[in-house]
Structures are given as structure tokens and as C-alpha cells.
Amino acid sequence: MERIPDSIALTSTEAASLLDAHPSSVKRWCNDSELASELTPGGHRRISIHSVMTFARERGIETILGPFHPYEPHVWTALKPIAERGSFRELIGLAMLWVRRGDFERLEHLFLTLGRADFLGFAEFCDGAVRGLLSTIGHEWELGRLRVGDEHMVTEAITGALLALRREWLDHTAESGAATPGTDHRPVAVVGTAEGNQHAIGALCIRMILEREGWRVLYPGADLPTEDFAFIQKSREASLVCISLPPNGSLGDVTRALSILREYYDRARPYAVAFGGPPALSLDGEIAEEPFESVAFYSEGKALQEAVRHGLGGPRIPHSPPLSAGAA
Ligand code: B12
């Protein structure tokens, strides 16, 4: 684990993408011996990751790996399988190495870097990387191999990375004028965790997935009484209510939540209900959907993303002006 794999060799295209340059520039630098390279027996150019990073540092070129010095090869080795075949195993291995060393800042930066990567969708990032790491953390804690303090530090690091990604994304959409107040016709969702459930990272992921799908999301956060989901839905005319169930959540929790939501349901302000979270639930044929537009359980953010893309919960024209036009 300690050993840095310094023999990693990149193709010209990989070196070009790291240096944010055209492959022909990389070839020119190699031909001019500015960038050390070798040819394989088959005549293909290979450039060591060490040479690429030295070249970048000397020229002041910022790369995604730069901030991880001296772990550039580790990070490259962790990110490549995600880009190539959607495998998060190496990433989680590296993240756990840093957790064991107490290097939570590096961990946060790793997740920030991956969350920004254009080779990975945001929902896949949440389902694969965020959930993948945190379930490993939970497992190690259960086995007594990690302290509660480590778990808390990881939670802080991952939440920090997610909130930073959200801020960057909101700044970007504000710049592009996509969410101008007053002309905001985005469909509205309420997202939070069920009463008693303090596990908020899944709900935060859902909030951000929906925002990226063009939703305005009201996010009261963790441990919300079901009545409050109903009040927020009604006052803000949300067309989708998303409730994150606790890890041991059951069909009984779903049935109870629905019976409370039913009491407050206003047919003039229809909405769909999406439950989600770690429990393995199937609602098929088990619950009455009436009077909701639909009721479903999703174990992944990606599944909800696909459902909203297929029309779940909106878009729609508001029944009357929202009571308050404040931001989510
Ligand atoms: C971090 C953590 C905590 C933190 C949470 C902090 C926070 N701000 O969120 C703290 C320390 C508070 C905590 C407390 C507890 N925890 Co805890 N915790 C975890 C841990 C390590 C990670 C959970 C997490 O964030 N996962 C990452 C997210 C992204 O995954 P996710 O929630 O599954 O969400 C994904 C999907 O489920 C889905 N999704 C989630 N919500 C929704 C909603 C909708 C609408 C949709 C569509 C999809 C969707 O999309 C998400 C992205 O993929 C897990 C380990 C594990 N295996 O999960 C234990 C774990 C869940 N905790 C556990 C326990 C026992 C507890 C405590 C009881 C411990 C205690 N004795 O105090 C308390 C309970 C607190 C409470 N009342 O809720 C157990 C639960 C066992 C069980 N089956 O009941 C676990 C599994 C650990 C273990 N291996 O034993 N915990």
C-alpha cells in the first residue's frame, strides 16, 4: 500500500488530457525532448506519469493530479478504472489508506476532484463513490477496525466535498443565467430524511441530483416529521416529495408516512412520493398509491434521475403563485 507505483506509463492521449493540451502538442514536446518518452516494441509512445507531472510543474500547468503530490500515481490508478469500466474498487482502497492515516483533507479533495470529473455522471458518483466509501467505513467500524471519530471525520470530509461541488455548480448556473429569480419555472421537490433518521448524506445526494436535473429543491435536511414534508409540499406547490428512509426502514415506515401525507393531501396540488435509502424494499403491489400521482422506492440516485427524466413529478405550471419566492 505504501509503495508509489512510479512506473505508470501514459499514452500521448492520456498525457494530453492531463496537461489539457492537444495530443499533437504532446508529440511535439516528446520529439523535441522537452518531455521524456519511450517507444513500446509496437512503436507506441509512452510517457511516465512522473515525467508528465515534472513537466507540468516546471511550466506552471495546473493538472487535476497536482494537488495530490506525491500521490499522483495513486490517484491516477484510482481514477482510471472508474473512467474505463466504472469500477470504484481502487478509489475506495486509496480513500481507506488516507482514512487510516487520518488524511481527511486529501480525502475531501479526492472526492471533490472526482465529483468534478467529466467522465463520471453525478448520480454515478453518489451511488458508486460516496455510498461505496461510506458503506466500507460502516463495515470497518462494525468490525471494530475504525473509531467512531474516524467515521465522523469521513462524514465531514464527504459532506464538505458535496457542498463545495454544490456551491461550484450553483455559481456556474447563476453565471449562465439558468436560475434567474422571478422567472423561475423549475419544478419543485422537497427532499429530506424521515423522522428519526440522522443519515443525511443520501438525501444531500438526491437534492443535488435533482438540482442538476433542473429542479428547485427545498431541503429541510435530516430527521423531519412527515407532517412537515406535507406542509412544505403544500406551501411551495412541490410536485415531488422525496423521503430518505433509515437503514432499517421497513414497509411499515412507508405505510405510516403515506397515511400522514394522505391526511394533508390537496388534490389541487398533486404530487408524487419517492422513498429511497439503504433498505432493500419493494413496494410493488404492497401499498395503495391513491391519492398520490405515484409512490415508489428507489435504492439509488441514478434510478430517481432516470424516473424524473421520464416525467416523474413534473414539469408543471403552478396552481397559484408560490407563497414565498425565496431561494431553496
Ligand atoms: C455516516 C453514518 C452515520 C452518521 C451520519 C451523519 C450524516 N450527516 O449523515 C452518524 C454518526 C450520525 C450515524 C449515526 C448512527 N448510525 Co450510522 N452510519 C453511517 C454510515 C457509515 C454511512 C451512511 C451514509 O452516509 N452513506 C452514504 C449515502 C450516500 O448512502 P445512502 O444513505 O444509502 O444513500 C444512497 C441510496 O440509499 C439512495 N438514497 C438515499 N436516500 C434516498 C432518498 C430518495 C428519495 C432516493 C430516491 C434515493 C435515496 O441514494 C443515495 C446515493 O446512492 C453507515 C454505513 C452504511 N453501510 O451505510 C452507518 C450505518 C447506516 N449506521 C448505523 C447505525 C447503527 C447508526 C446508529 C444507530 C449508531 C448509534 N449507535 O448511535 C446511529 C443512528 C442515528 C439515527 N438516528 O439515524 C448502521 C445501521 C444498521 C441498520 N441496518 O440499522 C450502519 C449501516 C453502520 C453499520 N454497519 O452498522 N451514522
Side-chain angles (χ1 to χ4, degrees), residues 208-252:
M208 292 171 66
I209 290 169
L210 287 174
E211 285 176 340
R212 283 161 193 248
E213 292 299 309
W215 287 69
R216 191 152 68 93
V217 181
L218 308 167
Y219 181 71
D223 191 8
L224 190 72
T226 311
E227 291 81 355
D228 289 47
F229 279 99
F231 285 130
I232 298 172
Q233 181 282 324
K234 201 178 277 188
S235 66
R236 304 295 286 271
E237 302 218 0
S239 57
L240 181 61
V241 169
C242 293
I243 304 180
S244 189
L245 294 172
N248 60 354
S250 64
L251 210 53

Side-chain angles (χ1 to χ4, degrees), residues 194-195 225-227 243 245-246 248-264 273 275 283 286-288 292:
E195 187 158 13
T226 311
E227 291 81 355
I243 304 180
L245 294 172
N248 60 354
S250 64
L251 210 53
D253 294 310
V254 170
T255 313
R256 272 188 297 280
L258 289 176
S259 75
I260 296 171
L261 292 177
R262 253 185 218 109
E263 275 179 47
Y264 296 94
V273 189
F275 290 97
L283 305 188
E286 301 282 347
I287 43 120
F292 310 101

Side-chain angles (χ1 to χ4, degrees), residues 36-66:
S37 68
E38 285 177 7
L39 288 180
T40 64
H44 297 289
R45 202 184 297 277
R46 291 290 179 268
I47 310 152
S48 81
I49 197 162
H50 176 74
S51 302
V52 175
M53 295 314 298
T54 306
F55 179 86
R57 264 193 300 279
E58 283 169 2
R59 303 205 169 200
I61 300 172
E62 281 183 25
T63 69
I64 60 159
L65 299 184

